[in-house]
């Protein structure tokens, strides 16, 4: 798809891009719908509970029923809320979460846009969602929602820094910001994948990414016991659904980025398995990362806010900086 940009934009290519965008949106919405289902089933299995099992065969329609309920619920806006900002905040949060997927390559020939600054594109747009969360909390005219929004902003900004710096080592080794070039650098078997020479950056990236997602054990912005329900406490119906949708679309994006940056993308772990299509390898690694996120939610308790901020500034940031110097030494000694 990305090669069409170099051939000039015609009406035919425009409608092809539009069709591909619609298909991508439907695929992501399908992922969100059943990621929620599998998360509840996986957590239920790990905690010796049953999970969804009544609505549809094996409970497969439970999430569909939940989404339908949200869509038909009354849309309420507090009387003293900043109405315009209250309305657009969920949109500002959701749209970047979907747009960042444009630069992620799923296989050698399946990608939307082949950007030379793909990583910068992802980082720049994903940061916009923080504005939507802060606006949602502030526009609600509710002190608990405001606290949730400000806490989320502090957390996401703090962890955005080590998240970006942890990727610098990958960029140094591949010599490019282009995500397809980074995957191409990892060809030749799993011992060439970046998670081995970049183990420090990989660990920092995973921890910071989970915090960026506001997921357990870093779900402080939605700490029900402290803030009622966080920045979206005044939202209901489909506007609330937009916030939840953004979270799971970012799960899709983070799992894809982890696969691309550190796990070899579409490359097989061994050369004799190259006959298997690359998209299947990508999906397998992607599914493993998503399962890992669910596993953490079922296992880890929520940490305190002082522990959260301390880890970001006192542990992850120094480690991400150390990783740059370690990478430089590694390239000087071993990469010719």
């Amino acid at each position: 798809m990305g090669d069409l940009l170099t051939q000039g934009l015609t009406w035919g290519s425009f409608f092809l891009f539009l069709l591909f965008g619609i298909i991508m949106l439907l695929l992501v919405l399908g992922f969100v719908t059943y990621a929620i289902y599998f998360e509840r089933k996986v957590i239920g299995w790990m905690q010796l509970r049953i999970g969804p099992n009544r609505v549809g065969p094996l409970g497969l329609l439970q999430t569909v029923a939940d989404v339908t309920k949200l869509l038909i619920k009354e849309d309420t806006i507090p009387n003293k809320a900043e109405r315009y900002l209250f309305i657009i905040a969920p949109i500002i949060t959701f749209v970047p979460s979907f747009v960042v997927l444009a630069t992620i390559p799923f296989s050698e020939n399946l990608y939307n846009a082949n950007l030379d600054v793909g990583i910068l594109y992802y980082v720049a747009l994903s940061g916009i969602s923080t504005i939507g969360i802060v606006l949602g909390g502030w526009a609600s005219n509710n002190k608990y929602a405001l606290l949730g929004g400000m806490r989320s902003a502090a957390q996401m900004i703090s962890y955005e820094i080590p998240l970006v710096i942890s990727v610098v080592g990958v960029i140094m080794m591949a010599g490019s910001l282009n995500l397809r070039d980074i995957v191409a650098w990892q060809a030749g078997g799993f011992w060439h994948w970046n998670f081995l020479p970049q183990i420090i950056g990989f660990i920092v990236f995973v921890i910071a990414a989970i915090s960026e997602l506001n997921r357990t054990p870093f779900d402080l912005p939605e700490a029900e016991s402290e803030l009622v329900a966080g920045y979206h406490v005044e939202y209901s119906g489909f506007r609330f659904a937009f916030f939840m949708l953004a979270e799971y679309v970012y799960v899709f994006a983070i799992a894809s980025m982890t696969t691309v940056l550190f796990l070899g993308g579409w490359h097989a772990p061994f050369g004799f398995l190259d006959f298997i299509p690359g998209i299947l390898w990508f999906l397998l690694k992607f599914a493993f990362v998503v399962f890992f996120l669910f596993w953490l939610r079922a296992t880890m308790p929520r940490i305190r806010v002082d522990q959260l901020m301390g880890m970001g500034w006192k542990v992850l940031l120094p480690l991400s900086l150390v990783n740059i110097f370690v990478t430089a030494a590694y390239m000087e000694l071993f990469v010719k």
Side-chain angles (χ1 to χ4, degrees), residues 164-174 198 323-324 327 331:
V164 174
I165 297 178
S166 67
V167 181
V168 172
V170 173
I171 297 171
M172 292 170 62
M173 295 184 66
Q198 286 292 305
N323 181 63
I324 296 177
T327 301
M331 293 181 66

Side-chain angles (χ1 to χ4, degrees), residues 130 133-156 214 219-234 305 308-309:
T130 307
I133 290 174
V134 174
L135 279 180
W138 183 79
S140 298
N141 197 22
N142 178 306
K143 60 182 179 181
Y144 297 107
L146 178 60
L147 285 172
M150 296 303 294
R151 178 180 286 186
S152 178
Q155 174 179 332
M156 296 179 77
N214 291 335
D219 57 338
L220 272 298
E222 302 170 9
E224 298 90 345
S225 59
E226 304 167 44
L227 300 171
V228 185
Y231 55 87
H232 49 55
V233 64
E234 296 289 357
V305 65
L308 174 81
M309 301 304 288

Side-chain angles (χ1 to χ4, degrees), residues 46-106:
M46 290 182 173
Q47 298 177 347
L48 299 180
R49 296 184 287 107
I50 297 175
N53 68 332
R54 296 299 182 90
V55 184
L58 303 175
L60 287 171
L61 298 180
Q62 181 63 58
T63 305
V64 176
D66 294 339
V67 172
T68 304
K69 179 187 71 173
L70 283 175
L71 293 178
I72 64 177
K73 284 185 70 174
E74 180 183 3
D75 177 34
T76 59
I77 300 178
N79 290 331
K80 296 185 178 181
E82 292 286 343
R83 185 177 182 88
Y84 176 71
L85 295 178
F86 186 89
I87 292 173
I88 67 170
I91 301 173
I92 295 175
T93 301
F94 167 72
V95 171
S97 70
F98 181 73
V99 176
V100 296
L101 303 179
T103 190
I104 295 175
F106 301 102

